[in-house]
Amino acid sequence: MPYRAGTRLPGERASKLGHLDVLNSPLVQELCRSFEDSSPPGVPATMTWSPLPCTGEPLPIVFGVDGSFQVITGTTPPYKALAFVKTALFRLDQPALAALDRESPHPYALRDILKDSALYHATVFPMRHIVVPSMTVYDAVRHTIYESVKDAQLDGEPMETLKWIAYEKWDGQKKNLPPFECPHCESRNATLPYDAEKGSCPDCGKELFITDMLGFHLEMAPDAAPDGVARDYMTIHETLLLFTGIRYYWERNREAFRRVLFVKDGPLSIRAQYSKLVNPIRRFLHMTRDVGNPVCIVGQEKSGAFADHLELIGDHAPVGSLFIPDHQYIREQIQHRPATGAPYGKDTNYGAKVFVRLTKRHKMVLNIPTGKFVQNPTIGNLIGAPEIFATLPKLLSSRYEDALLPVELANAVASLSTYPSVQILAMFAEATVKGYP
Ligand SMILES: [Zn+2]
């Protein structure tokens, strides 16, 4: 990079001629030719596509979950910023699915489905330069996360689900929360007694929320929160909505798991410090399979390294086949890293990655739970695979490429750009930043 101009002297000019010598190198010339060559790269030799296991009964009831977030920043200094997060869960049963026109769903038909069988959650976080009396942004975001998970519109059900997962209530052992880092004194002894939502730090005595165990505060400065906090809250809340449905059936009607498929937009994973929920979730899913009530969950990953890799390999796959990449394949072919080191996804994923070619036109990256972590999963490890693959052909969208209807509808419900409109949010944000909340 050339030097920039100062107040006294002009900046350095980048020399165009400086590139000429390096372009004369035969190796560099070869690389440039190869870069411009548009023929597809070879497909890795270490992959085997297997026929889809469609031997189960299709599942007649489908739940879809999705979320979206948007950070709105003021256009003038100090560039105040608010983040809006929205999540949704809805039910799609066989009659609703049959009535839906897959080419162009009628808006009223969608409205009727969503009116009777959808839950919404929306919240807003003060990210930067927003004054909340007697609170830093750090504490304001902590309080907002806690109050948002308790959302009265949803009767506090996501909070019940967070407690159910964090305390692993299904196992009846009534244990305290595993220790986490206190948001006030950084002691690592912070904990809460069984079933508590709030308490105090054993070292500094200040107030703790159960949502502090997730560690949002580890990413925030006293007066600013990065945009990632909104994204991670969205992921956590999607997971809580998904498991609110699962908890409901587990507590009231376990037989229903034979008829229900849960579909999440995005991977079945929770990143970084938030991944504390992953091991309890895995233990729950493992146990449900052991006791004969397996829960069918599938996540569709539409972007990122796995989706990019599918573009390379998908067209070579036979129709009606799947490929489950193992640890070594993921490290070397997808992440382009050495296969040594920690097993891929051990701490963060509760679903195995599965490349699927359903029809000539539909290929996708799915995530399907295996219960306990499996480093090199096989079809037999995927919970509910025969039922899931018997159901998916009934859920294909005709409107979008490689799309599943529940994901398409969940996008429509949760998308901030359509509901409510970005203009409304921007207007609201303007009013708030100007001091008229
Ligand atoms: Zn403390």
Side-chain angles (χ1 to χ4, degrees):
M1 289 286 275
Y3 287 103
R4 290 193 299 181
T7 49
R8 291 180 300 115
L9 299 171
E12 186 191 14
R13 302 250 301 265
S15 165
K16 300 276 188 293
L17 295 175
H19 299 304
L20 284 181
D21 281 348
V22 79
L23 283 177
N24 285 333
S25 146
L27 173 62
V28 171
Q29 285 181 359
E30 179 57 37
L31 290 175
C32 291
R33 259 197 304 279
S34 171
F35 187 78
E36 277 159 19
D37 179 4
S38 61
S39 57
V43 172
T46 52
M47 59 188 307
T48 325
W49 292 87
S50 314
L52 290 177
C54 313
T55 49
E57 284 291 313
L59 302 158
I61 301 172
V62 179
F63 284 88
V65 65
D66 190 20
S68 65
F69 78 97
Q70 190 141 14
V71 177
I72 299 205
T73 308
T75 48
T76 49
Y79 305 109
K80 296 186 176 199
L82 287 170
F84 294 85
V85 180
K86 191 162 190 290
T87 57
L89 169 78
F90 72 95
R91 190 187 65 220
L92 202 56
D93 54 20
Q94 211 55 56
L97 206 56
L100 207 61
D101 178 346
R102 292 177 189 219
E103 291 287 348
S104 54
H106 194 282
Y108 287 172
L110 284 180
R111 184 198 60 187
D112 290 346
I113 291 173
L114 302 176
K115 183 164 62 95
D116 298 330
S117 38
L119 300 175
Y120 311 94
H121 167 71
T123 190
V124 56
F125 296 108
M127 306 298 277
R128 290 179 288 280
H129 310 301
I130 303 282
V131 180
V132 181
S134 76
M135 265 194 216
T136 58
V137 166
Y138 180 91
D139 279 324
V141 173
R142 280 183 55 237
H143 276 80
T144 314
I145 288 171
Y146 174 71
E147 294 296 338
S148 301
V149 172
K150 280 176 75 75
D151 188 353
Q153 295 254 31
L154 299 178
D155 296 331
E157 291 294 336
M159 174 57 85
E160 284 306 314
T161 303
L162 174 61
K163 291 200 291 182
W164 184 73
I165 298 174
Y167 294 108
E168 301 190 46
K169 286 189 173 186
W170 56 83
D171 75 4
Q173 292 188 14
K174 303 202 169 179
K175 44 190 180 265
N176 293 347
L177 216 53
F180 58 95
E181 193 178 305
C182 171
H184 309 287
C185 70
E186 294 174 25
S187 146
R188 291 178 180 274
N189 299 324
T191 180
L192 291 174
Y194 178 73
D195 205 24
E197 291 173 13
K198 275 187 196 182
S200 49
C201 170
D203 287 347
C204 69
K206 291 187 180 163
E207 186 172 48
L208 296 177
F209 301 129
I210 185 172
T211 40
D212 288 328
M213 61 109 43
L214 297 166
F216 285 96
H217 58 278
L218 301 175
E219 284 194 80
M220 290 187 278
D223 284 308
D227 295 357
V229 164
R231 185 196 54 218
D232 291 322
Y233 175 84
M234 178 192 80
T235 306
I236 295 282
H237 206 272
E238 287 172 349
T239 311
L240 293 179
L241 279 186
L242 180 72
F243 277 87
T244 295
I246 293 169
R247 177 174 62 87
Y248 179 91
Y249 288 122
W250 176 254
E251 290 174 344
R252 291 174 181 81
N253 179 11
R254 295 178 193 181
E255 284 297 305
F257 287 131
R258 293 178 195 281
R259 299 192 300 278
V260 177
L261 174 63
F262 294 91
V263 181
K264 179 179 177 294
D265 185 11
L268 301 181
S269 66
I270 308 175
R271 65 171 210 96
Q273 68 264 32
Y274 313 102
S275 65
K276 281 177 191 150
L277 298 180
V278 165
N279 272 322
I281 285 173
R282 280 213 202 105
R283 285 193 282 269
F284 171 76
L285 294 174
H286 193 86
M287 179 272 297
T288 55
R289 174 151 73 177
D290 274 358
V291 300
N293 293 117
V295 186
C296 295
I297 310 176
V298 62
Q300 188 186 10
E301 207 166 323
K302 295 181 302 190
S303 59
F306 286 85
D308 292 347
H309 194 70
L310 180 67
E311 290 301 315
L312 287 183
I313 64 172
D315 290 337
H316 300 268
V319 168
S321 67
L322 64 76
F323 163 58
I324 310 175
D326 61 12
H327 164 77
Q328 183 172 4
Y329 186 96
I330 291 173
R331 281 283 191 247
E332 292 179 351
Q333 303 292 341
I334 299 174
Q335 297 189 315
H336 311 296
R337 291 164 54 188
T340 50
Y344 170 77
K346 186 166 189 299
D347 295 327
T348 52
N349 297 1
Y350 59 96
K353 309 283 179 186
V354 187
F355 293 105
V356 179
R357 182 142 198 218
L358 277 168
T359 70
K360 206 165 171 2
R361 290 197 304 126
H362 292 88
K363 52 187 192 301
M364 47 193 79
V365 180
L366 300 179
N367 290 196
I368 301 177
T370 58
K372 279 187 185 150
F373 177 72
V374 183
Q375 184 164 342
N376 300 317
T378 62
I379 293 177
N381 296 125
L382 307 177
I383 295 178
E387 288 74 29
I388 291 174
F389 288 107
T391 311
L392 290 182
K394 299 181 181 306
L395 301 180
L396 296 178
S397 161
S398 315
R399 217 157 45 135
Y400 299 104
E401 211 175 317
D402 303 329
L404 292 172
L405 267 174
V407 173
E408 181 190 327
L409 294 179
N411 285 163
V413 179
S415 158
L416 278 172
S417 60
T418 55
Y419 183 100
S421 81
V422 176
Q423 285 90 329
I424 294 173
L425 294 183
M427 211 164 66
F428 174 50
E430 273 291 278
T432 312
V433 297
K434 282 180 184 156
Y436 307 103

